[in-house]
Amino acid sequence: MGSIELRQINKRYGDVEVIKSLDLNIDNGEFVALVGPSGCGKSTTLRMVAGLEEASGGDILIQGKRVNDWSPKKRNIAMVFQNYALYPHMSVGDNIGLNLRISRLPKSEIKKRVADAARLLEISDLLDRRPAQLSGGQRQRVAMGRAIVRNPSVFLFDEPLSNLDALLRVQMRGEIKRFHKMTRRTTIYVTHDQIEAMTLADRVVVMRNGDVSQMGRPEELYVDPANLFVAGFIGSPRMNLVPAQLRNTAEHAQAISFSDGQSIELEDRVACADGTDIIVGIRPEHLSTSPGRHHLNGKVFMTEFTGGNTIVTANIGGSEMTCLLESRSGVRDDEDIKLSVSQDDIHLFDPKSGQRLARQS
Ligand SMILES: Nc1ncnc2c1ncn2[C@@H]1O[C@H](COP(=O)(O)OP(=O)(O)OP(=O)(O)O)[C@@H](O)[C@H]1O
Ligand SMILES: [Mg+2]
């Protein structure tokens, strides 16, 4: 129904290149999230797929057909925006059926499709209301309803949840996921919220300055971030990224040496000379008070109780690090602390290029 392929897509506004050369293959039925900081080109990419913006170069293919010159209507794509764009003077039912009326479908068909969409989104009892009489989450559902009734082959979402409060966002996120599971429509979902991207998508594209920084399944981005940008962007609380050096400790042994003199032996070496500056990445949830083969000593600066977990900020290895510990561990401010970390959870990066350093066994 709706595979999408972007081949070397480029977009310029005058002299400014906002998308460099984007390649992306999305399978029919797949859910792909575009994530990245403000201004990195997410909406521009989405709008080019929808046909609301022309690509300056490259090919856009839907179901194998080049659609660059096709009108938005012909592409059979539905887009849901952040601000919902509902008409205030129309009832919910009329808002949902609007595009079908424009397409001059028979009245009975429109009524049936609107009723089906409303049932799916559980807003059947709201069809006679005006948008002003709805909550934010209900408006969001109406906007989705308007997209669904056209029976599109592709769904595009541009930050559809960013106007909602935290609780409703999580609830609607679940509903979008359920909706995709039921309909299996190809979806591109833009967000700057990495948790939203990770929880919803089959694959996540991390964008930066109009380029793809890394693309992969959520687990891949989490376990194997390709560079410092992705390492810092994916995961919450953020990965600790601290400066250190590589040391050759014996003929075939190598260690990470932190600025306060502590070190961790590396079981898998990296191809770098003695004394090379590196950035060490350790996720807060991978530091543990349980005993382990490799550990670091530090002093607790601050603890933040969040319920089951406590976020501990400590001075470790000459840098401030965040640790996500079980609240039961009972760590207190100003205590000395000993934290273990396993080898698989230590990420090494080149500070100059920002690229991940490959480990060799
Ligand atoms: N019509 C335009 N003319 C000139 N520059 C534009 C235009 N539209 C967007 N841009 C620029 O293109 C870049 C990408 O914009 P885009 O809206 O795609 O970002 P985004 O990733 O969606 O950001 P946000 O998270 O803030 O929505 C930005 O630097 C923006 O200023
Ligand atoms: Mg945007």
Side-chain angles (χ1 to χ4, degrees), residues 303-334:
T303 55
E304 294 164 278
F305 178 75
T306 67
N309 293 114
T310 295
I311 301 170
V312 175
T313 308
N315 197 319
I316 303 167
S319 302
E320 206 167 80
M321 288 199 206
T322 308
C323 326
L324 189 67
L325 302 179
E326 274 189 32
S327 293
R328 267 182 298 214
S329 62
V331 172
R332 306 242 178 281
D333 286 12
D334 304 315

Side-chain angles (χ1 to χ4, degrees), residues 42-44 158-159 190:
K42 306 180 295 293
S43 296
T44 305
D158 195 349
E159 312 239 13
V190 162

Side-chain angles (χ1 to χ4, degrees), residues 131-202:
Q133 298 167 310
L134 302 177
S135 71
Q138 290 167 337
R139 275 179 220 165
Q140 216 283 330
R141 266 174 258 192
V142 176
M144 275 177 66
R146 197 169 51 186
I148 294 170
V149 285
R150 292 171 48 204
N151 200 18
S153 51
V154 174
F155 273 104
L156 306 179
F157 290 94
D158 195 349
E159 312 239 13
L161 306 183
S162 53
N163 284 341
L164 305 179
D165 66 49
L167 199 64
L168 199 52
R169 281 181 81 131
V170 174
Q171 188 193 334
M172 286 306 296
R173 189 176 83 195
E175 290 190 13
I176 290 178
K177 188 153 184 149
R178 201 167 309 130
F179 173 71
H180 179 255
K181 245 181 119 85
M182 282 192 294
T183 60
R184 286 285 157 204
R185 290 296 146 87
T186 312
T187 302
I188 310 182
Y189 188 98
V190 162
T191 175
H192 58 259
D193 180 340
Q194 54 100 12
I195 303 262
E196 224 166 84
M198 300 275 278
T199 49
L200 281 170
D202 300 314

